Amino acid sequence: MKYFFSFILLLNIQLVSAQLNEDFSDGDFSTNPTWVGDDSVFTIVNVTGDQMLRSDKIIASSSFYLSTPSTLATDCQWEFYTNLTFNTSSANYVDVYLTSNQSNLLSASINGYFVRIGGTTDEISLYRRSGGVSTKIIDGVDGICNTSNNKLKIKVTCSAANEWKLERDATGVGSSFFTEGIITDATFTTSANFGVLVVQSTSSFFQKHFFDDFYVGPIIYDVIPPVLVSATSISANQVDVLFNEAVNLTTAQNIANYGLSPVIGITSAVVDGPNPAKVHLTLSGNMTNGTQYTLTTNNIEDLPGNASGTMSVQYTYLVAQTPAPGDVIINEFMCDPSPVVGLPELEFVEIYNRSNKYFNLLNWKLGDNATFGTVQNAWLAPGEYKILCGTSSVPYFPGSVQVTSFPSLNNSGDDIILKDNSGLILDKITYTSAW
């Protein structure tokens, strides 16, 4: 995983001064740094080539923890990755202690701050704990953790003025953070420990808590502007624009910051609610089917205020149209490829679009007298030819389209039938060996 570290390589001076920088790549949590607590019920596991800390306690109705020394409490950033592979609940959640005066996270006398992931409302919230009493100070969005695969990147900052900010990226990547809330709280300005507390109820939640990429250190300031990733046509007059991070509402919703070529006016730009890295554009007119467009953006800012320069991306507006018999015809076929004469020793059928329409071939049917195969996803433009062939034959015909269960064409004679996805026969030929 290690998304966090790739994103801050050029800030290595800050990383050097980090008080905690743990990715478990050494396969150990007993030294460098030293974690204490219920160390017998945590383990390091390999998850698709990445070393992660995982809970390992198989006792119902239990709470267990790991902590490590950490004295940073203000003018500081905390960041970590977690994957809780279950729907959280009031009896199944995780508390990540950012600051604590106790190494024992089960102690009733903890003073500090923690992030709760889960709980009754399945949210990510910031709490202050004082003398055994936990008080929610940032109330996160309900329902975020109500899935069976919670891959999350959590980031918390506390400025020198004790302003707390809680952010999360529900993709787990760490490139598009959503702000759960901001609050000023200076109840505690010192710390001794950082740690993780797991609360689980039944066997359904055993060994399902994963953690990685812990960082506690100086605040890492974003100085990189957003990058335009893609543009996708949603309808004839709607385009979705995707950036690599959340964008500033004012600049992203200014239609003067967008341009489209061939020229169509843009009447509105609205940042998506659940995904603030996406912008919905509404056009003043309809796009032309089969046309390639270039979308240009400029002066789009991210949340910290970094402004992008001019960026552009291309996309093609395509809408599948309904064929009529004769729109697409069987143009050529090979039923007896042996002996080889300048072609692969493989059967194929070539089709030709003689209409002015655009067709998506997905789930069209190609058959003979006995069986029909299913054509896979591909577009057929006006005046375009496509070779249809079996799955194993695709590498031998550049640009060809896969047909699962490609029919075996008889050498002596057979029918070849082409249907669309509704079963309409578009073309049919009957050949004999005399051909």
Side-chain angles (χ1 to χ4, degrees):
M1 189 175 72
K2 313 300 177 284
Y3 302 110
F4 176 74
F5 299 103
S6 62
F7 142 62
I8 58 169
L9 281 177
L10 51 106
L11 300 170
N12 53 43
I13 294 176
Q14 287 185 314
L15 277 178
V16 169
S17 60
Q19 196 163 80
L20 175 63
N21 190 1
E22 172 70 282
D23 65 1
F24 305 103
S25 57
D26 59 0
D28 178 42
F29 58 88
S30 61
T31 58
N32 192 33
T34 300
W35 296 79
V36 298
D38 301 310
D39 54 347
S40 64
V41 292
F42 285 90
T43 187
I44 306 297
V45 296
N46 188 298
V47 181
T48 60
D50 195 16
Q51 299 284 83
M52 293 188 187
L53 179 71
R54 190 197 71 190
S55 64
D56 213 28
K57 193 166 189 175
I58 52 175
I59 299 177
S61 301
S62 59
S63 302
F64 48 101
Y65 75 93
L66 277 181
S67 68
T68 188
S70 175
T71 58
L72 294 179
T74 62
D75 197 15
C76 175
Q77 177 170 315
W78 298 263
E79 191 164 339
F80 59 91
Y81 167 86
T82 184
N83 185 11
L84 308 182
T85 58
F86 58 87
N87 293 70
T88 60
S89 68
S90 60
N92 297 279
Y93 57 88
V94 168
D95 290 344
V96 178
Y97 275 84
L98 312 175
T99 72
S100 171
N101 65 332
Q102 306 282 332
S103 62
N104 180 1
L105 302 184
L106 295 174
S107 171
S109 58
I110 289 179
N111 291 331
Y113 299 90
F114 67 87
V115 175
R116 175 161 293 175
I117 306 167
T120 304
T121 52
D122 301 310
E123 63 188 19
I124 302 166
S125 298
L126 181 66
Y127 286 76
R128 180 185 64 240
R129 185 171 174 85
S130 177
V133 177
S134 297
T135 303
K136 187 188 298 184
I137 59 175
I138 293 181
D139 186 2
V141 178
D142 293 353
I144 293 300
C145 306
N146 189 26
T147 74
S148 59
N149 191 22
N150 295 290
K151 292 183 177 180
L152 301 165
K153 193 78 167 180
I154 309 294
K155 179 167 66 174
V156 183
T157 57
C158 179
S159 71
N162 298 297
E163 181 183 79
W164 292 83
K165 182 179 182 180
L166 171 63
E167 300 174 89
R168 49 90 177 164
D169 182 345
T171 68
V173 175
S175 61
S176 183
F177 283 100
F178 173 84
T179 300
E180 298 282 6
I182 299 174
I183 193 170
T184 298
D185 190 298
T187 306
F188 305 112
T189 57
T190 62
S191 176
N193 299 276
F194 170 92
V196 174
L197 172 67
V198 174
V199 178
Q200 65 183 20
S201 59
T202 65
S203 59
S204 298
F205 304 92
F206 293 170
Q207 301 175 317
K208 292 187 175 182
H209 314 79
F210 297 83
F211 306 94
D212 203 0
D213 296 345
F214 288 112
Y215 170 84
V216 182
I219 296 176
I220 299 166
Y221 295 97
D222 180 3
V223 295
I224 301 174
V227 175
L228 176 61
V229 175
S230 65
T232 305
S233 57
I234 304 302
S235 69
N237 67 339
Q238 291 181 308
V239 178
D240 276 0
V241 184
L242 183 65
F243 296 90
N244 70 330
E245 61 177 319
V247 289
N248 169 273
L249 283 176
T250 301
T251 59
Q253 296 188 159
N254 183 351
I255 60 174
N257 291 336
Y258 301 91
L260 195 62
S261 178
V263 175
I264 302 178
I266 297 170
T267 59
S268 71
V270 179
V271 174
D272 184 77
N275 183 5
K278 182 185 290 185
V279 182
H280 307 293
L281 300 183
T282 300
L283 310 182
S284 61
N286 291 341
M287 292 177 284
T288 302
N289 200 13
T291 300
Q292 184 180 75
Y293 289 87
T294 299
L295 178 81
T296 302
T297 67
N298 186 44
N299 198 35
I300 304 295
E301 296 180 4
D302 59 12
L303 300 184
N306 302 303
S308 68
T310 301
M311 300 179 290
S312 63
V313 67
Q314 291 182 326
Y315 69 95
T316 301
Y317 174 61
L318 282 174
V319 177
Q321 296 169 278
T322 302
D327 278 350
V328 180
I329 62 171
I330 298 164
N331 178 72
E332 185 178 331
F333 66 93
M334 174 63 76
C335 63
D336 185 7
S338 180
V340 173
V341 183
L343 287 171
E345 194 173 351
L346 300 165
E347 294 184 351
F348 68 86
V349 173
E350 183 182 73
I351 58 175
Y352 171 64
N353 181 2
R354 62 179 188 177
S355 75
N356 60 358
K357 304 174 187 176
Y358 289 83
F359 303 118
N360 189 318
L361 304 181
L362 181 63
N363 293 326
W364 284 24
K365 301 294 183 181
L366 181 70
D368 61 359
N369 271 324
T371 60
F372 277 88
T374 302
V375 185
Q376 300 306 293
N377 190 32
W379 285 90
L380 186 65
E384 186 178 14
Y385 298 85
K386 287 285 187 184
I387 287 180
L388 310 182
C389 58
T391 303
S392 61
S393 302
V394 169
Y396 298 93
F397 298 104
S400 60
V401 181
Q402 173 187 346
V403 178
T404 58
S405 303
F406 187 87
S408 178
L409 304 177
N410 298 325
N411 294 351
S412 58
D414 211 341
D415 289 343
I416 303 178
I417 305 167
L418 178 68
K419 300 180 180 180
D420 71 0
N421 57 353
S422 70
L424 175 69
I425 295 178
L426 304 177
D427 196 19
K428 176 182 178 180
I429 64 172
T430 300
Y431 68 88
T432 69
S433 58
W435 286 25

